[in-house]
Structure formats: structure tokens, C-alpha cells
Amino acid sequence: MSTQALQILQEPRAVQPPIVTVLPPPMPPSLPALRNIVNLPNGVVDFDRSEIRHHTGERDELSVREAELLRYLAANTDRAVSRDEILQHVWHLDPRRLVTRTIDMHIANLRDKLRDVPGDPKVIFTVRGCGYKFAPRDAR
């Protein structure tokens, strides 16, 4: 074999990196089915549009996580939902040995968008030592 042929055989080939397509995550199966419009004391939540429409005509957009959290709370109306349960079913995290205030922050953001006064809530109630509860059906 010639030296030129040996050089060609010994040169490393360029390796092409694989093409990776990033798809949005599917809707988690643990989120319960719920109608796409939920009535509120001062408006409606439209989950198809990820927004809250107030009776005044104003609209507030919901982030994906806010919509998932609100959907989960609304699907579990009339019972307190613990932070651990929310972490498991909305965030898909194991709550053991996990300390986070993210749920409280999201609840505060939701209350602002819902125009829910923390001292006199109409939609999301804090159940001390238990978690959060969505307004009873008869209050909506």
C-alpha cells in the first residue's frame, strides 16, 4: 500500500452530532379532566385560552404552571390540597426532603390575577396546616 493510501485510512472521520428535536411536554396524565371554563365570583377562567376574564372586561394571562395549578385546585373543589400533593401532581416532584416556597409564590400570583384579597378570599382559601382549597361551588 502506498503512503498516501495509509494516510487516508488513518485520518479520523468527522462525526456528526445527532439531531435532537425538543418537543413540548405532554399534558401530565395526573391532572384531572375539567371543563375548560370555570366560573368565578368576579369572572371566568378560560383554560383553552389560559386566561382569566373579569366582569369588568379586563383579562389576565395565566402561565402554563399557573393554569395547571388552578386547574388542579378547581378539580379538587371543597377539599384542602396539601403542598406535597401539589408538588406531586402539578410539578411532578417528590416532596420528601424538598423545601420550596414556589407553591406559595404561584398562589400569591394567582390571587393577584384572580383579584382575590388574601384577608377576605373568595376563590383560593389557605387552610392552615393543610394547604389550599378552591372556593366551594355555591360561592361561585
Side-chain angles (χ1 to χ4, degrees):
M1 227 185 231
S2 72
T3 12
Q4 187 179 14
L6 284 173
Q7 278 182 326
I8 291 173
L9 289 175
Q10 292 175 353
E11 288 181 18
R13 294 182 186 200
V15 178
Q16 295 291 339
I19 297 173
V20 177
T21 304
V22 179
L23 299 173
M27 189 69 159
S30 61
L31 290 176
L34 183 71
R35 58 195 170 119
N36 291 324
I37 301 283
V38 174
N39 291 319
L40 301 170
N42 62 349
V44 296
V45 177
D46 185 340
F47 288 110
D48 286 336
R49 294 182 177 193
S50 291
E51 70 179 11
I52 299 168
R53 290 191 302 267
H54 300 278
H55 292 314
T56 61
E58 295 175 84
R59 297 171 186 245
D60 284 303
E61 288 185 34
L62 295 171
S63 71
V64 173
R65 192 66 76 189
E66 288 169 342
E68 289 173 355
L69 175 57
L70 192 56
R71 180 183 293 270
Y72 192 80
L73 290 173
N76 290 284
T77 300
D78 296 331
R79 76 174 185 89
V81 179
S82 71
R83 288 176 179 82
D84 285 355
E85 182 179 345
I86 293 169
L87 281 172
Q88 287 175 329
H89 294 283
V90 178
W91 267 263
H92 305 288
L93 294 173
D94 184 358
R96 291 175 292 184
R97 294 188 224 131
L98 182 66
V99 177
T100 180
R101 301 294 295 170
T102 192
I103 295 168
D104 301 324
M105 298 295 292
H106 278 78
I107 291 289
N109 290 340
L110 278 175
R111 282 182 172 149
D112 284 344
K113 291 180 179 185
L114 292 165
R115 313 269 163 69
D116 210 12
V117 180
D120 184 27
K122 304 284 187 244
V123 181
I124 299 176
F125 297 90
T126 300
V127 181
R128 189 173 171 96
C130 292
Y132 298 100
K133 185 168 108 173
F134 198 72
R137 286 190 176 97
D138 56 1
R140 282 184 267 144

